[in-house]
Each structure stands twice: as C-alpha cells, then as structure tokens.
Amino acid sequence: AQFNAYRAALEEKKWGDALAAIQKAASLDSQRFAPFPMQRYQPKQLLGAGGFGAAFLCHDRFFNAEVVVKTLHDTAMERNMTEVFREAQVLRQLNHSTIIGVRDCNYADLAQMARPFIVMDYFPGGSLENFIQERGTISPEDLMVVARQVADGMKAAHQQNILHRDLKPDNILLHKEGSNWQV
C-alpha cells in the first residue's frame, strides 16, 4: 500500500508525500521496495520525477557528501539497462565543469537485476526553465554566458561520442552568484 501511495504521489507531483511513502515502504520490506541502498544513501528530498524515473537528493554516508540518486521506473525498463549503464560508465569518464559526474550505477536488487539506480554528483541549482518562469527572460549578455557553457559541455560529450538526446531548458541546471553563472 505504501509503495502504491509513493507511485500515486509521484504522479501528482507531491514530492514530500512520495518521499514519506517510499521510506515507509522500504522500512517495511527493503528487499522488495527500497529503490536504492537507503542504508548508504539517506534520502533527504525528492527533487522530481518523470516518465523515466525519480531523482532523490541524498546524503552519501560513506563519502559524507550530497548526491542525487536517480531511480528508474519499471515502465522505463523497455530501454535496455545495459545501454543505460554503458552511458553512465562513459559519463563517469567525462570530466567537464558543465557535466554532472556519475559516481555509481547498480540495482537495488542485484540478484533479480531489479530497481536500477544511478548515483550522480549534486549540483545546487535549478533548471533554466524554472529560472525563466520565476524571473523572466535573461539578458542577451547572460544568455551568451549560459549558452557558451552549455555548448562547451555538449562539445566535450560529443568528443566522446555521447549525444544528450534531450537538451532543453528543463534539463539545463544553473546557478547564479552575483554576476557569475555556473551551468
């Protein structure tokens, strides 16, 4: 019931309710319901969810660092997990200031190869989409700074034969401190 409540809350974008429900489900039967090793990655917040999976802000107890754990929905399993994990392995090798690093990928249930997850570095910023919705358009000068960083990141990925395939304002994370942009 708690797992069903989690899925329903995800659909309704009630992140706090979803987090509470999955934590309860995992506490009742972690072998069946934990979306990732919750004893290592302590969930603090559900950042969002979409058709492919959900993203949790977690505290990595081993490295004492904030990370994002992306869980993949069962409905997303149509995509070959070997391909997803291969992309994660290649991304792990990329080292560029505008590309969020991959730390790990695995299955919460390794024996059944069920409930795949990917652990990534945490970037303390919001999406370009949200930034524009909240603050309006950005100046042409700022747009050039942001666009250049996005282009630099895409160039680094393309040099490794990685295509983003879903580049859009909602998938561009940024942070502005004073006049400095970090993308």
Side-chain angles (χ1 to χ4, degrees):
Q2 290 297 322
F3 185 76
N4 289 338
Y6 162 69
R7 295 301 295 263
L10 286 182
E11 288 180 21
E12 296 174 14
K13 300 185 185 303
K14 294 181 177 177
W15 310 136
D17 293 346
L19 179 60
I22 195 61
Q23 287 177 311
K24 180 68 173 171
S27 73
L28 295 171
D29 188 349
S30 65
Q31 291 288 77
R32 187 170 173 199
F33 297 115
F36 48 84
M38 295 173 98
Q39 67 277 12
R40 175 174 180 179
Y41 303 109
Q42 179 184 10
K44 296 174 68 176
Q45 180 182 354
L46 185 57
L47 298 173
F52 196 53
F56 294 81
L57 172 61
C58 296
H59 180 76
D60 182 338
R61 292 178 179 168
F62 292 177
F63 287 113
N64 193 29
E66 305 305 301
V67 297
V68 173
V69 179
K70 289 189 174 186
T71 62
L72 307 176
H73 296 317
D74 292 338
T75 55
M77 297 301 282
E78 296 169 5
R79 186 169 180 201
N80 183 334
M81 289 314 302
T82 303
E83 177 186 331
V84 171
F85 284 171
R86 187 175 330 114
E87 287 178 12
Q89 292 163 357
V90 171
L91 279 173
R92 189 177 182 333
Q93 296 173 19
L94 280 178
N95 185 14
H96 194 274
S97 62
T98 64
I99 298 175
I100 294 176
V102 173
R103 293 178 175 231
D104 193 13
C105 58
N106 205 337
Y107 293 93
D109 181 352
L110 189 56
Q112 299 295 319
M113 295 183 74
R115 300 187 318 278
F117 65 93
I118 299 172
V119 181
M120 306 178 83
D121 293 330
Y122 173 61
F123 178 81
S127 74
L128 176 58
E129 177 80 21
N130 288 343
F131 187 90
I132 291 171
Q133 286 178 355
E134 292 171 5
R135 300 185 190 186
T137 58
I138 60 177
S139 72
E141 296 80 19
D142 285 343
L143 176 60
M144 290 303 295
V145 172
V146 169
R148 184 174 314 279
Q149 290 182 55
V150 170
D152 287 346
M154 291 300 94
K155 180 181 176 183
H158 291 171
Q159 289 173 335
Q160 298 294 321
N161 295 317
I162 298 172
L163 301 178
H164 190 286
R165 296 189 184 123
D166 196 21
L167 187 59
K168 59 186 179 184
D170 203 35
N171 288 338
I172 297 172
L173 300 177
L174 49 80
H175 177 76
K176 185 176 184 184
E177 250 181 62
S179 62
N180 296 323
W181 289 92
Q182 185 179 4
V183 179

